Amino acid sequence: MMRMPAQFIRLKKEWKSVIWWLLAPILLTVVVMKTFGALQEESKVPIALIVEDTSVLALQLAQEIEKNEMLSVRYMELDDALHKLKQHELDSVFVIREGYGESVLANRRNGLIEAYSSNRSFAYPAISETIMSLAQQDVSRTKAAMVIRQLFIEYGMEDKWNYEEIIQRSEEKQRNESLLKTSFSYGKQSESDEKPLELLNGRGIWAFFTIIAAFFLFDWMIKESRPSMQVRWLYTSTSFKNHAVRMLGLYSLLTFLSDGLTLFVFHFVLQDPVTFSFILPMLAFRMTLNLFAFLFAIVYRQLFMYYMTGIAAALLLTVTGGAVVPLDALSKRAQWVEIISPVRSLMTTTVPIAWLSLLILMLAAWMMKGGKRIA
């Protein structure tokens, strides 16, 4: 009769809680991100857009309006839109009139877009200015193209570029070059690509819940090292130290499997692109957490204080890691910021070498001391 390894005895007894703490970070991250996304969608300003013209310029303008992250654009008939506007279900209504493309090509700027608002259209002034600026952009680009085309004709270069090519080239210039973008800073100047500020980062949220879950997963260390449980190790050939290290390996394997599911959820549920360069930092982050929670469990004797420490550590490491307040500007001036928290390494897709090295040394020191508690 085969005897069940000691590592699986506790796992068999507490498999429900183990599965919960393996899956909890994933589930809670999805709930938080989806809830925040729904709230963010509801905070957008609802407007109606009626496109009467079928020209390319009219369709391009509609697409540019729809790209605005602050607007919730709804396409509908004019009568239906005006009815909803009266019911205050819409902030405002905009109509791209028929002949918009011809008017732009003819450099006519009047009557391109009709707008309707009510006494509760609080965002109408800003939205109307934004839409008119987009339309003005088309008019200005078209006028410039006409002037350039005329110059080509005057200098006998009419075969150089046609009208459509000039428009296309100007659009490429606008996309590729930040003509109206500048930077201002004090002290040492440094060129960098600025990224938009994310109000909520999925990886940071996952890291916060994962740190807490790691402490709850490794509470077996405190339970196994109680005096009442230590007696059994006197009558076995396996020392508590070896048992604890094997348990660490088993639970690390389980957490790695859950991280595989995390990558799947990030990519297909949260629409967060996952690359191969992120896998190694994620595994290193997980190993860091496992060692961190394991070594803390060696020190503590009371589960409640151990859990409270885990929650406090999650808050501290998440904040100092830049998951709540971005630390990009600070880390460029002070390189030591990168090693404050392993969460920072996860956010920047790097390996927390300093953390891993220190924790491995502490684990080796504990093993060399015979597995006794670190006072």
Side-chain angles (χ1 to χ4, degrees), residues 57-96:
L57 289 174
L59 297 178
Q60 288 180 349
L61 177 60
Q63 292 176 359
E64 290 295 328
I65 296 173
E66 192 173 0
K67 289 180 182 178
N68 194 309
E69 296 180 355
M70 301 304 297
L71 300 179
S72 176
V73 180
R74 307 174 186 178
Y75 295 93
M76 58 184 68
E77 297 295 330
L78 180 59
D79 293 338
D80 189 21
L82 294 178
H83 175 72
K84 291 184 179 297
L85 180 64
K86 292 179 181 179
Q87 300 295 323
H88 305 296
E89 296 181 18
L90 296 172
D91 180 86
S92 47
V93 177
F94 295 90
V95 182
I96 302 178

Side-chain angles (χ1 to χ4, degrees), residues 190-214:
S190 60
E191 296 182 0
S192 61
D193 296 329
E194 296 183 2
K195 296 181 181 180
L197 178 63
E198 295 183 355
L199 298 178
L200 204 61
N201 187 287
R203 298 179 184 181
I205 297 298
W206 176 81
F208 172 74
F209 290 124
T210 302
I211 296 172
I212 296 177

